[in-house]
Amino acid sequence: GATPVYFISLKPSKARFAQMGKQAQVNAAVRVLAKRRADLHFVDVASPMLKAGKPLDIFQADALHMTDAGYRIWTRIIRPKVASADRRRCK
């Protein structure tokens, strides 16, 4: 519709490492869908959170929730997309 939707990819974490294959399948399916729909935008935060296929050391002691370093990665990726959407909406 007229309202854009930004799908933030499922994020990898040390606590859910066993689910990474399924998460990658979901992310791939949404990415394909987003290429077909003008109102759906896929935002890949997962890839920058990995090194050599394993989650970076950006998680709190529970191995699930991110530290400030993890959120800085997200901010670097998400902020430009939101700003771009704001600029398009204001035209």
Side-chain angles (χ1 to χ4, degrees), residues 31-49:
R31 186 188 301 265
V32 167
L33 184 60
K35 288 180 180 179
R36 290 189 224 142
R37 294 188 57 140
D39 60 343
L40 178 61
H41 308 275
F42 179 80
V43 182
D44 180 16
V45 297
S47 297
M49 295 176 68

Side-chain angles (χ1 to χ4, degrees), residues 8-43:
I8 298 173
S9 64
L10 302 181
K11 73 172 179 64
S13 68
K14 292 179 178 184
R16 296 194 175 136
F17 189 75
Q19 296 177 2
M20 283 188 49
K22 289 181 181 181
Q23 290 176 351
Q25 289 176 341
V26 170
N27 288 338
V30 175
R31 186 188 301 265
V32 167
L33 184 60
K35 288 180 180 179
R36 290 189 224 142
R37 294 188 57 140
D39 60 343
L40 178 61
H41 308 275
F42 179 80
V43 182

Side-chain angles (χ1 to χ4, degrees), residues 2 4 6 81-91:
Y6 290 82
K81 296 195 179 297
V82 172
S84 175
D86 283 345
R87 284 191 298 273
R88 285 192 304 270
R89 190 171 41 106
C90 292
K91 287 185 179 182

